[in-house]
Amino acid sequence: MNYGTVIAALLLSCSQAVAAGQGVDDADPFQQPSAEYLKQFVQTGERVFVYERYDANGKLYQRDAVPLATPVEIKSATERVINGVEYKLRGLAACPKTKITYKTEEWNCTKAAQDYEGAIYNGRASVVLCKTLVLKSQVGVPDAVSCFSLVGAGDANDPYMVSYDDDDMVFMDAASILRNKDGKSLRPDLEHSSDLGKPFQSDEAN
C-alpha cells in the first residue's frame, strides 16, 4: 500500500469537497463553504481574497473581496500573512510536536505545514476565503480565522474542490486543538479529523 497515496486521499476526503458535495452554499460563520459558494468570487485571470466578518448571532456583518496581491506567507502551522496582514487559525496551537510524518517521511512540523499549505494557497487556489467572529481588528493582535481555498480548474479532469486549512493542519498533526479552563474543546468540529490523522503519525515523530 502506497502510504503517500493513502494520506493524500484522506486529506482530500476529510478537508475538501466537490461542488455537488459537502459544504454550505450560504454565508455561515462556522461551516465549510461549498465550491459553489466560493465560485461566485472567481475572477478570470486573477486570484481573489475574500474576508468575511460575522456577528455574535452568526450573521454576515462585513465582506471584502480584493485581489490576492502577493503570495500567502505560511509563518507557522497556524499563522498566515495574506496581503500583508497576519491572521491566526481559530482555536488551534501550532506544532504540538517538533517533527511529524509527512509524505511518508519525518519532517520538521513547521516546514511540513509550509510545504503543504504553500502549495495550496500559492499554487492551486483561485479564491481564498477567511472568516472571523472578530468585528473590529485590534492593532498587533491577529484576527482568529478559519480559512478555505477554492482549488482546481473546474472541469471534468480537475473539478473545483474546497481545501480547509484548519482541518488540514489538525489532520496532519501540525496543529492541536486548544481547550478552555474546563477542558472543553475550542474546535469540536475538528476532533474527528484529529482522530483520523493520528494513525498516520509514526511513533518516532516527537
Side-chain angles (χ1 to χ4, degrees), residues 172-192:
M172 290 171 57
D173 205 27
S176 59
I177 298 171
L178 293 173
R179 299 183 180 276
N180 64 18
K181 61 182 181 180
D182 298 320
K184 185 177 180 180
S185 173
L186 297 184
R187 294 300 303 270
D189 56 312
L190 299 179
E191 293 287 354
H192 183 58

PDB file of all heavy atoms in Angstrom, residues 172-192:
ATOM      1  N   MET A 172      -3.041  16.589   9.829  1.00  0.00           N
ATOM      2  CA  MET A 172      -1.616  16.307   9.674  1.00  0.00           C
ATOM      3  C   MET A 172      -0.871  16.269  11.003  1.00  0.00           C
ATOM      4  O   MET A 172       0.308  15.935  11.043  1.00  0.00           O
ATOM      5  CB  MET A 172      -0.966  17.369   8.771  1.00  0.00           C
ATOM      6  CG  MET A 172      -1.365  17.304   7.324  1.00  0.00           C
ATOM      7  SD  MET A 172      -0.767  18.742   6.371  1.00  0.00           S
ATOM      8  CE  MET A 172       1.000  18.665   6.667  1.00  0.00           C
ATOM      9  N   ASP A 173      -1.552  16.641  12.084  1.00  0.00           N
ATOM     10  CA  ASP A 173      -0.939  16.757  13.406  1.00  0.00           C
ATOM     11  C   ASP A 173       0.049  17.914  13.455  1.00  0.00           C
ATOM     12  O   ASP A 173       0.941  17.958  14.309  1.00  0.00           O
ATOM     13  CB  ASP A 173      -0.247  15.455  13.827  1.00  0.00           C
ATOM     14  CG  ASP A 173      -0.147  15.317  15.343  1.00  0.00           C
ATOM     15  OD1 ASP A 173      -1.001  15.897  16.052  1.00  0.00           O
ATOM     16  OD2 ASP A 173       0.777  14.635  15.827  1.00  0.00           O
ATOM     17  N   ALA A 174      -0.114  18.862  12.534  1.00  0.00           N
ATOM     18  CA  ALA A 174       0.701  20.065  12.548  1.00  0.00           C
ATOM     19  C   ALA A 174       0.125  21.104  13.503  1.00  0.00           C
ATOM     20  O   ALA A 174       0.801  22.078  13.855  1.00  0.00           O
ATOM     21  CB  ALA A 174       0.807  20.667  11.145  1.00  0.00           C
ATOM     22  N   ALA A 175      -1.119  20.923  13.920  1.00  0.00           N
ATOM     23  CA  ALA A 175      -1.756  21.815  14.889  1.00  0.00           C
ATOM     24  C   ALA A 175      -2.607  20.981  15.834  1.00  0.00           C
ATOM     25  O   ALA A 175      -3.181  19.962  15.441  1.00  0.00           O
ATOM     26  CB  ALA A 175      -2.612  22.860  14.190  1.00  0.00           C
ATOM     27  N   SER A 176      -2.682  21.423  17.091  1.00  0.00           N
ATOM     28  CA  SER A 176      -3.524  20.757  18.081  1.00  0.00           C
ATOM     29  C   SER A 176      -4.687  21.666  18.454  1.00  0.00           C
ATOM     30  O   SER A 176      -4.615  22.895  18.313  1.00  0.00           O
ATOM     31  CB  SER A 176      -2.713  20.397  19.331  1.00  0.00           C
ATOM     32  OG  SER A 176      -2.152  21.561  19.915  1.00  0.00           O
ATOM     33  N   ILE A 177      -5.755  21.063  18.922  1.00  0.00           N
ATOM     34  CA  ILE A 177      -6.957  21.804  19.291  1.00  0.00           C
ATOM     35  C   ILE A 177      -6.827  22.314  20.727  1.00  0.00           C
ATOM     36  O   ILE A 177      -6.541  21.540  21.648  1.00  0.00           O
ATOM     37  CB  ILE A 177      -8.198  20.903  19.150  1.00  0.00           C
ATOM     38  CG1 ILE A 177      -8.357  20.459  17.692  1.00  0.00           C
ATOM     39  CG2 ILE A 177      -9.454  21.619  19.640  1.00  0.00           C
ATOM     40  CD1 ILE A 177      -9.412  19.390  17.478  1.00  0.00           C
ATOM     41  N   LEU A 178      -7.026  23.612  20.908  1.00  0.00           N
ATOM     42  CA  LEU A 178      -6.951  24.211  22.236  1.00  0.00           C
ATOM     43  C   LEU A 178      -8.212  23.885  23.043  1.00  0.00           C
ATOM     44  O   LEU A 178      -9.268  23.600  22.473  1.00  0.00           O
ATOM     45  CB  LEU A 178      -6.788  25.723  22.120  1.00  0.00           C
ATOM     46  CG  LEU A 178      -5.458  26.209  21.525  1.00  0.00           C
ATOM     47  CD1 LEU A 178      -5.506  27.720  21.297  1.00  0.00           C
ATOM     48  CD2 LEU A 178      -4.291  25.856  22.445  1.00  0.00           C
ATOM     49  N   ARG A 179      -8.065  23.960  24.372  1.00  0.00           N
ATOM     50  CA  ARG A 179      -9.195  23.717  25.266  1.00  0.00           C
ATOM     51  C   ARG A 179      -9.305  24.851  26.275  1.00  0.00           C
ATOM     52  O   ARG A 179      -8.304  25.501  26.594  1.00  0.00           O
ATOM     53  CB  ARG A 179      -9.025  22.369  25.981  1.00  0.00           C
ATOM     54  CG  ARG A 179      -8.975  21.208  24.997  1.00  0.00           C
ATOM     55  CD  ARG A 179      -8.891  19.852  25.647  1.00  0.00           C
ATOM     56  NE  ARG A 179      -8.846  18.814  24.615  1.00  0.00           N
ATOM     57  CZ  ARG A 179      -9.933  18.316  24.027  1.00  0.00           C
ATOM     58  NH1 ARG A 179     -11.135  18.735  24.395  1.00  0.00           N
ATOM     59  NH2 ARG A 179      -9.808  17.398  23.080  1.00  0.00           N
ATOM     60  N   ASN A 180     -10.536  25.089  26.762  1.00  0.00           N
ATOM     61  CA  ASN A 180     -10.712  26.139  27.752  1.00  0.00           C
ATOM     62  C   ASN A 180     -10.332  25.630  29.135  1.00  0.00           C
ATOM     63  O   ASN A 180      -9.895  24.479  29.296  1.00  0.00           O
ATOM     64  CB  ASN A 180     -12.153  26.684  27.726  1.00  0.00           C
ATOM     65  CG  ASN A 180     -13.191  25.640  28.110  1.00  0.00           C
ATOM     66  OD1 ASN A 180     -12.872  24.610  28.719  1.00  0.00           O
ATOM     67  ND2 ASN A 180     -14.445  25.915  27.788  1.00  0.00           N
ATOM     68  N   LYS A 181     -10.496  26.456  30.161  1.00  0.00           N
ATOM     69  CA  LYS A 181     -10.053  26.090  31.513  1.00  0.00           C
ATOM     70  C   LYS A 181     -10.812  24.893  32.074  1.00  0.00           C
ATOM     71  O   LYS A 181     -10.344  24.232  33.005  1.00  0.00           O
ATOM     72  CB  LYS A 181     -10.197  27.283  32.455  1.00  0.00           C
ATOM     73  CG  LYS A 181     -11.619  27.802  32.606  1.00  0.00           C
ATOM     74  CD  LYS A 181     -11.649  29.007  33.523  1.00  0.00           C
ATOM     75  CE  LYS A 181     -13.080  29.520  33.699  1.00  0.00           C
ATOM     76  NZ  LYS A 181     -13.118  30.715  34.595  1.00  0.00           N
ATOM     77  N   ASP A 182     -11.984  24.611  31.500  1.00  0.00           N
ATOM     78  CA  ASP A 182     -12.762  23.456  31.933  1.00  0.00           C
ATOM     79  C   ASP A 182     -12.453  22.205  31.112  1.00  0.00           C
ATOM     80  O   ASP A 182     -13.085  21.159  31.298  1.00  0.00           O
ATOM     81  CB  ASP A 182     -14.260  23.764  31.844  1.00  0.00           C
ATOM     82  CG  ASP A 182     -14.671  24.913  32.748  1.00  0.00           C
ATOM     83  OD1 ASP A 182     -14.149  24.977  33.884  1.00  0.00           O
ATOM     84  OD2 ASP A 182     -15.488  25.751  32.328  1.00  0.00           O
ATOM     85  N   GLY A 183     -11.506  22.326  30.206  1.00  0.00           N
ATOM     86  CA  GLY A 183     -11.124  21.190  29.385  1.00  0.00           C
ATOM     87  C   GLY A 183     -11.986  20.983  28.155  1.00  0.00           C
ATOM     88  O   GLY A 183     -11.834  19.980  27.447  1.00  0.00           O
ATOM     89  N   LYS A 184     -12.872  21.933  27.865  1.00  0.00           N
ATOM     90  CA  LYS A 184     -13.762  21.795  26.708  1.00  0.00           C
ATOM     91  C   LYS A 184     -13.042  22.212  25.434  1.00  0.00           C
ATOM     92  O   LYS A 184     -12.364  23.232  25.386  1.00  0.00           O
ATOM     93  CB  LYS A 184     -15.007  22.661  26.905  1.00  0.00           C
ATOM     94  CG  LYS A 184     -16.048  22.505  25.817  1.00  0.00           C
ATOM     95  CD  LYS A 184     -17.278  23.350  26.120  1.00  0.00           C
ATOM     96  CE  LYS A 184     -18.331  23.208  25.022  1.00  0.00           C
ATOM     97  NZ  LYS A 184     -19.533  24.030  25.309  1.00  0.00           N
ATOM     98  N   SER A 185     -13.197  21.404  24.408  1.00  0.00           N
ATOM     99  CA  SER A 185     -12.560  21.677  23.124  1.00  0.00           C
ATOM    100  C   SER A 185     -13.056  22.993  22.529  1.00  0.00           C
ATOM    101  O   SER A 185     -14.258  23.267  22.522  1.00  0.00           O
ATOM    102  CB  SER A 185     -12.858  20.537  22.147  1.00  0.00           C
ATOM    103  OG  SER A 185     -12.394  20.855  20.849  1.00  0.00           O
ATOM    104  N   LEU A 186     -12.112  23.794  22.030  1.00  0.00           N
ATOM    105  CA  LEU A 186     -12.477  25.030  21.333  1.00  0.00           C
ATOM    106  C   LEU A 186     -12.821  24.783  19.870  1.00  0.00           C
ATOM    107  O   LEU A 186     -13.348  25.665  19.210  1.00  0.00           O
ATOM    108  CB  LEU A 186     -11.336  26.045  21.432  1.00  0.00           C
ATOM    109  CG  LEU A 186     -10.970  26.526  22.834  1.00  0.00           C
ATOM    110  CD1 LEU A 186      -9.890  27.602  22.759  1.00  0.00           C
ATOM    111  CD2 LEU A 186     -12.194  27.054  23.590  1.00  0.00           C
ATOM    112  N   ARG A 187     -12.528  23.592  19.370  1.00  0.00           N
ATOM    113  CA  ARG A 187     -12.856  23.246  17.992  1.00  0.00           C
ATOM    114  C   ARG A 187     -13.433  21.835  17.924  1.00  0.00           C
ATOM    115  O   ARG A 187     -12.825  20.934  17.335  1.00  0.00           O
ATOM    116  CB  ARG A 187     -11.623  23.364  17.089  1.00  0.00           C
ATOM    117  CG  ARG A 187     -11.062  24.759  16.911  1.00  0.00           C
ATOM    118  CD  ARG A 187     -12.059  25.741  16.309  1.00  0.00           C
ATOM    119  NE  ARG A 187     -12.579  25.319  15.043  1.00  0.00           N
ATOM    120  CZ  ARG A 187     -12.023  25.622  13.860  1.00  0.00           C
ATOM    121  NH1 ARG A 187     -10.933  26.348  13.814  1.00  0.00           N
ATOM    122  NH2 ARG A 187     -12.582  25.198  12.738  1.00  0.00           N
ATOM    123  N   PRO A 188     -14.620  21.623  18.508  1.00  0.00           N
ATOM    124  CA  PRO A 188     -15.217  20.283  18.448  1.00  0.00           C
ATOM    125  C   PRO A 188     -15.469  19.808  17.022  1.00  0.00           C
ATOM    126  O   PRO A 188     -15.511  18.606  16.764  1.00  0.00           O
ATOM    127  CB  PRO A 188     -16.524  20.448  19.233  1.00  0.00           C
ATOM    128  CG  PRO A 188     -16.807  21.913  19.230  1.00  0.00           C
ATOM    129  CD  PRO A 188     -15.463  22.573  19.243  1.00  0.00           C
ATOM    130  N   ASP A 189     -15.590  20.753  16.086  1.00  0.00           N
ATOM    131  CA  ASP A 189     -15.816  20.400  14.694  1.00  0.00           C
ATOM    132  C   ASP A 189     -14.618  19.704  14.055  1.00  0.00           C
ATOM    133  O   ASP A 189     -14.748  19.046  13.016  1.00  0.00           O
ATOM    134  CB  ASP A 189     -16.181  21.648  13.881  1.00  0.00           C
ATOM    135  CG  ASP A 189     -15.122  22.752  13.994  1.00  0.00           C
ATOM    136  OD1 ASP A 189     -14.698  23.059  15.134  1.00  0.00           O
ATOM    137  OD2 ASP A 189     -14.731  23.321  12.961  1.00  0.00           O
ATOM    138  N   LEU A 190     -13.445  19.833  14.684  1.00  0.00           N
ATOM    139  CA  LEU A 190     -12.225  19.259  14.112  1.00  0.00           C
ATOM    140  C   LEU A 190     -11.736  18.022  14.863  1.00  0.00           C
ATOM    141  O   LEU A 190     -10.725  17.422  14.468  1.00  0.00           O
ATOM    142  CB  LEU A 190     -11.104  20.306  14.091  1.00  0.00           C
ATOM    143  CG  LEU A 190     -11.361  21.566  13.255  1.00  0.00           C
ATOM    144  CD1 LEU A 190     -10.160  22.504  13.356  1.00  0.00           C
ATOM    145  CD2 LEU A 190     -11.668  21.220  11.807  1.00  0.00           C
ATOM    146  N   GLU A 191     -12.436  17.618  15.897  1.00  0.00           N
ATOM    147  CA  GLU A 191     -11.989  16.473  16.692  1.00  0.00           C
ATOM    148  C   GLU A 191     -11.926  15.195  15.848  1.00  0.00           C
ATOM    149  O   GLU A 191     -11.014  14.377  16.007  1.00  0.00           O
ATOM    150  CB  GLU A 191     -12.914  16.271  17.893  1.00  0.00           C
ATOM    151  CG  GLU A 191     -12.855  17.391  18.929  1.00  0.00           C
ATOM    152  CD  GLU A 191     -11.589  17.392  19.767  1.00  0.00           C
ATOM    153  OE1 GLU A 191     -10.770  16.451  19.636  1.00  0.00           O
ATOM    154  OE2 GLU A 191     -11.407  18.340  20.546  1.00  0.00           O
ATOM    155  N   HIS A 192     -12.896  15.022  14.957  1.00  0.00           N
ATOM    156  CA  HIS A 192     -12.915  13.806  14.138  1.00  0.00           C
ATOM    157  C   HIS A 192     -11.700  13.747  13.215  1.00  0.00           C
ATOM    158  O   HIS A 192     -11.079  12.681  13.043  1.00  0.00           O
ATOM    159  CB  HIS A 192     -14.199  13.741  13.324  1.00  0.00           C
ATOM    160  CG  HIS A 192     -14.346  12.487  12.510  1.00  0.00           C
ATOM    161  ND1 HIS A 192     -14.324  11.225  13.073  1.00  0.00           N
ATOM    162  CD2 HIS A 192     -14.495  12.287  11.164  1.00  0.00           C
ATOM    163  CE1 HIS A 192     -14.469  10.313  12.130  1.00  0.00           C
ATOM    164  NE2 HIS A 192     -14.562  10.924  10.964  1.00  0.00           N
TER     165      HIS A 192
END
